[in-house]
Amino acid sequence: MHYSSLETIRHDLAQGKITVVSLVQGYLDRIAEVNPTLNLFIEVFEAEALARAKAIDARLSEGKAGVLAGMVVGIKDVICMEGHLISASSRILQGFESQITATVVERLLAEDAIIIGRQNCDEFAMGSSNENSFYGPARLPADPERVTGGSSGGSAASVAAGCCLASLGSDTGGSVRQPAGFCGVYGVKPTYGRISRWGLIAYASSFDQIGPLTRSVADAALLLQVMAGPDGKDHTSSQQPVGTYFPVQEVSGEKFRIAYLEEAMTPHGLDPEVYAAANAWLEARRNEGHEVKPISFPLLPYLVPCYYLLTTAEASSNLQRFDGIRYGYRANQPKDLRDLYVRSRTEGFGEEVKKRILLGAFVLSAGFYEAYYQQAQKVRRIIRDQTTAVLEEFDFIFSPTSPSPAFKVGEKSKDPISMYLADIFTVHANLAGIPACSFPMAFTTGGLPIGGQLSGKPFEEGILLGAVQSFSNSQ
């Protein structure tokens, strides 16, 4: 049972071929089959999902079901759901039960989606491979010896493995899109502020956005339509009117202007098969009559350093609330209060999270704030301004989602620079605050997915998704 869209599920429900209960049971069976090997789910909401499925079957028979009836969704372990544990895949939140439900989850439940469980991720969403989880790495369905990408690796791989129809991830510098590319599914990072962050455990508050991971553009558009819009609980959520994302805009007759960064599209910077696939995609768009042009973006080498300076600064501030005093992990038999703080955090946080907290505290400290943090904020503004200028001339910016296909578990663990550079094409959209979508572009000769990425104008997710669907249909 590998449904690729809600449309096909709803068709089979209407024909009586399945019920929502049998659908959910099928996903639960699939999770039980693959989770011991792939390590995708931390917790499965079996009894709750089946009870909810029974109630939705009744609403469908009465013609009163919501637009997401039949949509079975997993949520990344940084998105809160009241009455369930939440840990951000970290020891320091061990045993903590959420007291709130995230706005995005509330909106999905209101339209009769079913939340099937919480999914493995890099600890506090910090990572590009899902190897930083307290629960161990999630593994790629296409090759369990390889990583899923991160930080929403469990979420992307769950969709690819047929454990749920869709997932919700969070994207701070590519954490929805990069694993989407590795796993061969669609992943959308909306414009900053388009979707409420209420109930999302923060990594870097001026970057974080929740986004859908799906097997079809239509499902991503529908989820975005349901989740988007202002939220009084999140003052960074935009008041900009929500566009029409679903049904997906029909743009197959339009001719677009597509830019690509010439500094990014070089054979020495990309895996050979990624380079070939990206060039083939661009050539296909030219053959369809679209305007495809290289542009110079000299700021490309500064994207990753700027991103890590700013996000680690915000992380060091956000994560100071985890102290072993009020909730979560607490060190045993502390000598005094200081020892309790130090050992709880030392034992509770993983190595990557501690590294980023220390770096963030350093760049915010007296004597270094102006040299690092303030300068990075200036660079971010220049990046945003130059990106805006590009998008005034072009409709979209194209790049591969990642410089390489999924790498092997442990391959980059001792090389943090190489690991951070896996985000070089995805951090751009977060720094500029623009929407971006990773889509399945090709496969390597070994059968590994290769993702492509389109970025668009702020709050124009509708036209972006329309273009992605049109280009995907023509491949």
Side-chain angles (χ1 to χ4, degrees):
M1 180 197 65
H2 260 45
Y3 282 106
S4 60
S5 70
L6 182 60
E7 181 183 12
T8 55
I9 288 174
R10 294 297 289 260
H11 176 270
D12 284 2
L13 286 169
Q15 295 293 313
K17 296 179 180 178
I18 59 169
T19 64
V20 181
V21 169
S22 69
L23 177 72
V24 170
Q25 188 59 60
Y27 282 124
L28 291 171
D29 292 345
R30 178 63 176 166
I31 293 169
E33 177 189 351
V34 305
N35 209 52
T37 301
L38 301 182
N39 194 27
L40 307 180
F41 279 82
I42 296 167
E43 182 184 3
V44 180
F45 307 158
E46 181 172 356
E48 181 179 329
L50 287 170
R52 186 167 171 80
K54 185 176 180 181
I56 293 170
D57 273 327
R59 284 199 285 279
L60 280 168
S61 67
E62 297 167 0
K64 298 179 180 179
V67 298
L68 295 180
M71 177 77 81
V72 179
V73 182
I75 56 174
K76 184 179 180 179
D77 189 31
V78 291
I79 299 173
C80 293
M81 188 170 176
E82 186 176 0
H84 291 282
L85 298 177
I86 181 146
S87 71
S89 292
S90 177
R91 186 185 191 189
I92 206 159
L93 276 174
Q94 199 171 35
F96 177 68
E97 183 178 303
S98 178
Q99 307 301 300
I100 63 170
T101 296
T103 296
V104 290
V105 175
E106 289 180 342
R107 291 179 178 178
L108 295 192
L109 293 175
E111 292 293 344
D112 284 335
I114 293 172
I115 309 300
I116 200 166
R118 59 189 178 104
Q119 297 158 325
N120 199 356
C121 62
D122 282 301
E123 184 182 6
F124 283 100
M126 297 181 191
S128 305
S129 64
N130 214 140
E131 293 175 280
N132 297 329
S133 170
F134 175 63
Y135 305 103
R139 293 177 179 270
L140 190 72
D143 180 357
E145 295 301 311
R146 295 180 183 271
V147 302
T148 57
S151 61
S152 308
S155 300
S158 295
V159 176
C163 295
C164 53
L165 184 64
S167 294
L168 296 188
S170 64
D171 193 309
T172 306
S175 286
V176 163
R177 290 161 289 144
Q178 192 244 24
F182 280 6
C183 293
V185 299
Y186 294 92
V188 180
K189 185 207 84 72
T191 308
Y192 182 79
R194 180 70 297 172
I195 289 179
S196 171
R197 293 184 298 111
W198 170 258
L200 171 70
I201 295 178
Y203 163 16
S205 302
S206 75
F207 290 77
D208 298 339
Q209 273 291 274
I210 294 170
L213 291 138
T214 62
R215 295 170 69 89
S216 73
V217 177
D219 285 353
L222 179 56
L223 287 168
L224 186 60
Q225 190 80 64
V226 171
M227 293 188 294
D231 177 19
K233 297 174 183 175
D234 176 10
H235 296 299
T236 65
S237 63
S238 175
Q239 300 299 308
Q240 186 96 359
V242 177
T244 300
Y245 308 135
F246 184 85
V248 180
Q249 291 188 27
E250 176 55 57
V251 299
S252 57
E254 295 188 37
K255 301 304 177 188
F256 294 110
R257 297 162 298 164
I258 303 169
Y260 65 92
L261 311 184
E262 59 183 353
E263 292 88 353
M265 289 290 293
T266 59
H268 68 271
L270 296 174
D271 173 273
E273 292 193 84
V274 172
Y275 179 72
N279 276 294
W281 189 92
L282 290 170
E283 188 60 29
R285 304 292 81 78
R286 287 191 187 96
N287 292 339
E288 292 166 359
H290 302 286
E291 181 183 338
V292 178
K293 285 188 176 181
I295 59 166
S296 179
F297 198 79
L299 292 170
L300 183 68
Y302 301 99
L303 295 179
V304 171
C306 179
Y307 167 80
Y308 277 99
L309 282 171
L310 294 176
T311 57
T312 55
E314 293 187 24
S316 71
S317 176
N318 279 327
L319 269 61
Q320 65 182 319
R321 71 193 71 177
F322 305 109
D323 53 16
I325 302 293
R326 290 158 289 187
Y327 45 74
Y329 178 81
R330 179 180 295 186
N332 290 324
Q333 299 179 327
K335 294 181 293 184
D336 51 32
L337 184 61
R338 184 180 186 279
D339 185 51
L340 174 61
Y341 278 128
V342 171
R343 287 205 294 117
S344 293
R345 287 169 168 162
T346 301
E347 297 167 13
F349 287 128
E351 292 304 310
E352 182 63 29
V353 172
K354 285 187 280 193
K355 185 193 307 178
R356 298 194 192 197
I357 291 171
L358 288 170
L359 178 58
F362 172 76
V363 303
L364 290 175
S365 61
F368 298 101
Y369 176 86
E370 292 183 0
Y372 293 105
Y373 181 77
Q374 205 169 68
Q375 289 295 99
Q377 288 284 32
K378 292 176 182 176
V379 171
R380 184 183 189 182
R381 181 56 183 261
I382 296 169
I383 290 168
R384 190 181 74 177
D385 290 347
Q386 292 196 10
T387 303
T388 299
V390 171
L391 289 171
E392 287 174 355
E393 183 179 352
F394 294 90
D395 298 301
F396 308 113
I397 300 171
F398 167 81
S399 73
T401 305
S402 187
S404 73
F407 44 88
K408 290 191 174 181
V409 174
E411 183 180 324
K412 296 181 186 251
S413 300
K414 305 297 183 185
D415 186 359
I417 300 300
S418 175
M419 184 75 81
Y420 293 167
L421 286 174
D423 300 331
I424 190 166
F425 302 134
T426 53
V427 297
H428 186 180
N430 300 82
L431 285 162
I434 59 175
C437 177
S438 177
F439 56 89
M441 182 169 64
F443 290 90
T444 68
T445 52
L448 297 176
I450 298 173
Q453 177 182 243
L454 274 189
S455 304
K457 295 178 173 66
F459 299 104
E460 292 193 4
E461 286 84 358
I463 191 72
L464 174 64
L465 292 173
V468 169
Q469 175 155 286
S470 175
F471 298 151
S472 297
N473 290 341
S474 64
Q475 282 185 217

